[in-house]
Amino acid sequence: MSTAALEGARARRMTEWVFRVRELGIVLVLALLIVVTGILEPRFLEAASLRNLALNASIFAILAAGQTLVLVTRNVDLSVGSVLGLSAYFAGDLLSHHQSMPLPLVFAAGMALGAACGLLNGVLVTWGRVPALVVTLGTLYMFRGLAFLWTNGTQINAETLPDSFLNLGTDSVAGVPILVIFAVVVLVIVGRWLRDYRAGRELYAIGSNPDGARLAGVRSDRRVLVAFILAGALAGLGGVLFTARFGTVDATAGTGYELTVVAAAVVGGVAIFGGTGSVYGAALGALLLGTITSSLIILKVEAFWQLAAIGALLLVAITVDRVLALRVEAALRRRSARRAS
């Protein structure tokens, strides 16, 4: 094995260790937050409250898994909230007019719509050579505009949807909410794909060193395109589950979700500069942000401070990511210098 390959392997192992420790830190902070909030307001620890927390975090965890696929390639998808809104209304509209439609077909349709939105993002980024930040900021507004045009001021109401569909957002299996099961299945599938399959590992290679990945024969444009399509498909899945969870959907569904999703991934250890992170950390970040929001609500803190807390946490996470990356790089350089001498 070449010296460069050895140094790359050491860098990956050191980075993975750092972020595993960080994920453990998120778990500890989460536990502390729940305990403190429960002491200040005992109702927070009631079963119904914790159940709602898990249900709401599940959708964000699915979206964060998709965002992770894009972030590790040094890109970002700011359109996820609008894609969720489009897919949510699409699923509700389908079932409102065709209540006997098989639910798997509804899920497939919602994910297909999301994947189409992701395809547009990916094509503009890879073939159009437009920065992902610019592309997805534009499609964020474009998809939201399409939602307003499509809905024409109407909304989908729960009474027009079949009970079998709405039960997905409320029922449990062996005490575990169905939405949580959906989220866990998505996280396991995406996590294993990123870790165990070449296509998934190549996403990290692209984010770590784009030029090096191309020289190594990685089809970077194709991989990035796939990442955007999968992120869109998962946003579409989140939209269908959003409709099942809340029942009532209009053109504003998912508004503002993009900040929370990006923040969840970054707080969970997915580096905004690409190359590192996992969907499990992103899911923990989604759970942490959801818990912070619920804690502030139950403690009757104004909405402004809820947004401020998320924004501040995002800034701290980005700063920590950069500091850790620089320290890992410096440690590897010192180690290489000692061996060379």
Side-chain angles (χ1 to χ4, degrees):
M1 184 180 291
S2 66
T3 302
L6 285 171
E7 291 300 327
R10 293 191 192 101
R12 284 193 297 274
R13 286 196 296 271
M14 184 177 294
T15 304
E16 288 172 0
W17 178 82
V18 168
F19 281 97
R20 276 199 296 269
V21 171
R22 179 168 170 177
E23 290 172 5
L24 177 59
I26 294 174
V27 172
L28 295 176
V29 171
L30 181 61
L32 180 62
L33 178 62
I34 291 174
V35 170
V36 171
T37 306
I39 292 173
L40 295 175
E41 180 52 75
R43 290 181 303 164
F44 185 73
L45 297 179
E46 292 179 357
S49 176
L50 295 176
R51 175 185 169 83
N52 285 331
L53 178 63
L55 288 172
N56 293 333
S58 296
I59 295 177
F60 281 110
I62 292 172
L63 297 178
Q67 190 69 237
T68 299
L69 295 172
V70 177
L71 284 175
V72 296
T73 66
R74 291 196 184 186
N75 290 288
V76 67
D77 186 355
L78 298 178
S79 67
V80 288
S82 299
V83 175
L84 178 142
L86 269 177
S87 301
Y89 190 87
F90 181 44
D93 190 55
L94 276 178
L95 284 171
S96 293
H97 293 92
H98 309 283
Q99 292 201 3
S100 60
M101 177 177 288
L103 294 186
L105 186 59
V106 176
F107 277 93
M111 293 181 69
L113 177 59
C117 294
L119 175 63
L120 175 60
N121 287 332
V123 166
L124 292 174
V125 170
T126 57
W127 293 357
R129 301 301 175 187
V130 182
L133 181 66
V134 176
V135 168
T136 58
L137 184 60
T139 54
L140 179 156
Y141 291 108
M142 186 182 79
F143 296 151
R144 185 65 63 188
L146 287 175
F148 276 100
L149 183 64
W150 184 6
T151 61
N152 195 27
T154 62
Q155 68 177 25
I156 303 296
N157 296 311
E159 57 265 22
T160 65
L161 301 175
D163 291 339
S164 58
F165 178 69
L166 294 174
N167 289 341
L168 295 177
T170 56
D171 283 358
S172 302
V173 175
V176 180
I178 294 176
L179 285 188
V180 174
I181 295 175
F182 267 99
V184 170
V185 170
V186 167
L187 292 173
V188 170
I189 292 174
V190 177
R192 287 204 60 188
W193 183 71
L194 283 173
R195 186 191 65 186
D196 298 334
Y197 291 84
R198 178 179 176 180
R201 294 195 300 271
E202 286 180 347
L203 295 183
Y204 288 104
I206 294 168
S208 298
N209 188 341
D211 294 332
R214 288 192 202 92
L215 291 174
V218 176
R219 297 179 177 178
S220 300
D221 287 347
R222 180 179 296 184
R223 295 295 183 230
V224 171
L225 179 62
V226 169
F228 273 103
I229 292 173
L230 292 176
L234 290 177
L237 173 61
V240 179
L241 294 175
F242 180 97
T243 303
R245 170 82 175 100
F246 298 105
T248 301
V249 182
D250 58 21
T252 64
T255 300
Y257 275 31
E258 52 279 342
L259 171 62
T260 304
V261 171
V262 172
V266 174
V267 168
V270 182
I272 198 73
F273 305 103
T276 56
S278 73
V279 293
Y280 308 114
L284 286 173
L287 183 58
L288 176 60
L289 292 185
T291 304
I292 290 174
T293 301
S294 297
S295 299
L296 295 178
I297 289 174
I298 203 168
L299 295 176
K300 299 180 180 179
V301 176
E302 294 182 6
F304 165 79
W305 293 109
Q306 298 170 26
L307 294 175
I310 293 175
L313 197 57
L314 177 58
L315 290 175
V316 170
I318 292 174
T319 302
V320 169
D321 281 344
R322 190 57 181 163
V323 170
L324 289 176
L326 291 174
R327 289 191 174 183
V328 168
E329 183 179 353
L332 288 171
R333 285 178 178 174
R334 288 194 299 270
R335 182 179 298 178
S336 298
R338 285 196 300 267
R339 293 187 176 184
S341 61

